[in-house]
Amino acid sequence: MFQLVKSFLEDRTFHVSVDGYMSSIKPISAGVPQGSVLGPTLYSIYTSDMPTQTPITEVNENDVLIATYADDTAVLTKSTSILAATFALQEYLDAFHQWAMNWNIRINADKCANVTFTNRRSTCPGVNLNGSPIRAFPAYKYLGVTLDKKLTFGRHITCVQNSFKNKVARMAWLLAPRNKLTLGCKVQIYKSILAPSLFYGLQVYGIAAKTHLNKIRVLQAKTLRRISGAPWFIRTRDIERDLNVPKIGDKLQKLSQKYMQRLNDHPNSLANRLGTAAINNADPRTRVRRRLKRFHPQDLPDRILT
């Protein structure tokens, strides 16, 4: 097995091709082939001893929680004291840098971001990685979702609006009422191409206020009205029903219910506990009291939008 993996990784080369011009061939001294079947397994083995923290049920106030998705790593600390949270974060970054040095991994601090999620006006002290300060941002895009300082998701919905409008503008000729394409094909284009970009991450940003979610509803309503060529006096809910397109409230409940069910059936114990927490929150006897009157992702399966 060792010889097989060794032959898979050694003597690999690469070149760059731009506008028909090809660079010279260079050797690859580290890394796994991108898109290979064995690559994710080898990467998981290589990073298996990355500094981690206790399970989520045992996380204390000033402990650190690590969330990884492929090579994207998020380090989370929480505390009622900004100084305590910063100190815990800096301690982990020092340990992480030492681990990276041991395994000859270079971390670019310029590609890292430091975001403080709080309703307070005070700013979080800076942290650094190997002496290089990590820039602080009021909001940052992680896995396609823009997380703002107060987690209102207003910035994310604004980004979704702009991206959706650009896609609709590029396909305007195809969705126009004068186009001879059948109505069924136009609706299918909306469902398969436009709607996924509109509702991506709805299980997360669905906790936003109704004023923000109504912006998504307006985008869908305008697009469906344009596709169908319906006059102004036809109600949006009638258009959605006739075209068999769910309302944003129904879409939110369906996606969140499916997401919670996947958590409950997930083989990973940490993911499974998130689903269990949602069930406990639904029970008034075990519901955790919240200081702020905000929706949580666990509430979304029962959230009703009119």
Side-chain angles (χ1 to χ4, degrees):
M1 181 62 69
F2 171 76
Q3 294 294 338
L4 180 64
V5 175
K6 183 174 181 240
S7 65
F8 175 71
L9 295 177
E10 67 182 2
D11 298 330
R12 286 195 172 272
T13 59
F14 76 98
H15 67 268
V16 180
S17 178
V18 179
D19 295 334
Y21 295 92
M22 187 179 300
S23 68
S24 58
I25 297 177
K26 302 291 183 180
I28 299 177
S29 58
V32 296
Q34 186 174 4
S36 62
V37 176
L38 193 58
T41 301
L42 294 178
Y43 176 80
S44 297
I45 295 174
Y46 191 77
T47 59
S48 60
D49 61 341
M50 179 189 298
T52 57
Q53 196 50 265
T54 53
I56 191 170
T57 55
E58 301 175 10
V59 171
N60 297 322
E61 185 181 16
N62 297 328
D63 281 347
V64 180
L65 180 65
I66 314 302
T68 59
Y69 184 84
D71 59 344
D72 287 327
T73 303
V75 185
L76 310 173
T77 62
K78 65 174 183 177
S79 176
T80 55
S81 169
I82 292 182
L83 293 178
T86 305
F87 180 78
L89 179 60
Q90 185 61 61
E91 273 195 332
Y92 177 82
L93 291 178
D94 294 339
F96 182 81
H97 171 68
Q98 185 60 47
W99 170 82
M101 291 287 293
N102 293 339
W103 289 108
N104 197 26
I105 300 176
R106 293 183 180 180
I107 308 296
N108 189 353
D110 294 334
K111 293 184 178 181
C112 301
N114 180 20
V115 183
T116 303
F117 301 103
T118 179
N119 287 324
R120 301 177 184 177
R121 295 185 179 180
S122 55
T123 57
C124 184
V127 293
N128 64 82
L129 185 62
N130 190 25
S132 301
I134 298 179
R135 291 181 296 172
F137 293 87
Y140 199 76
K141 191 173 184 179
Y142 180 68
L143 299 180
V145 179
T146 302
L147 305 173
D148 57 276
K149 179 179 179 180
K150 295 186 178 181
L151 292 179
T152 61
F153 293 97
R155 292 198 179 193
H156 175 73
I157 292 179
T158 299
C159 294
V160 170
Q161 283 182 289
N162 296 333
S163 175
F164 184 81
K165 289 178 181 178
N166 291 335
K167 286 187 176 181
V168 172
R170 291 196 296 266
M171 304 183 68
W173 64 275
L174 193 60
L175 303 177
R178 68 180 67 180
N179 193 293
K180 295 183 179 180
L181 196 65
T182 63
L183 180 60
C185 290
K186 293 180 181 179
V187 174
Q188 192 61 35
I189 290 174
Y190 170 80
K191 290 182 177 180
S192 59
I193 299 178
L194 298 177
S197 64
L198 197 62
F199 297 118
Y200 171 78
L202 187 60
Q203 305 94 321
V204 177
Y205 78 82
I207 67 175
K210 286 185 179 181
T211 52
H212 291 312
L213 294 179
N214 281 337
K215 299 176 183 177
I216 303 296
R217 182 175 181 273
V218 169
L219 287 177
Q220 175 171 278
K222 288 184 176 179
T223 306
L224 294 180
R225 191 174 294 274
R226 182 172 188 173
I227 289 175
S228 62
W232 63 269
F233 54 82
I234 301 297
R235 294 185 301 180
T236 300
R237 66 183 63 180
D238 294 334
I239 299 176
E240 292 173 339
R241 184 191 65 245
D242 295 341
L243 299 182
N244 195 23
V245 176
K247 299 184 295 183
I248 182 174
D250 298 337
K251 188 75 173 180
L252 175 61
Q253 290 185 348
K254 181 179 179 181
L255 288 177
S256 55
Q257 287 173 358
K258 184 177 180 180
Y259 175 67
M260 292 302 172
Q261 185 62 42
R262 288 179 60 190
L263 289 179
N264 294 331
D265 300 336
H266 205 284
N268 189 308
S269 60
L270 296 180
N272 188 266
R273 288 170 187 170
L274 293 175
T276 305
I279 296 176
N280 293 337
N281 184 71
D283 189 347
R285 296 171 297 179
T286 57
R287 183 176 301 168
V288 178
R289 296 184 61 182
R290 300 171 182 168
R291 184 175 62 87
L292 299 177
K293 293 182 180 180
R294 284 189 177 182
F295 285 96
H296 283 212
Q298 298 93 325
D299 307 325
L300 296 185
D302 301 319
R303 186 176 185 184
I304 299 176
L305 295 175
T306 56

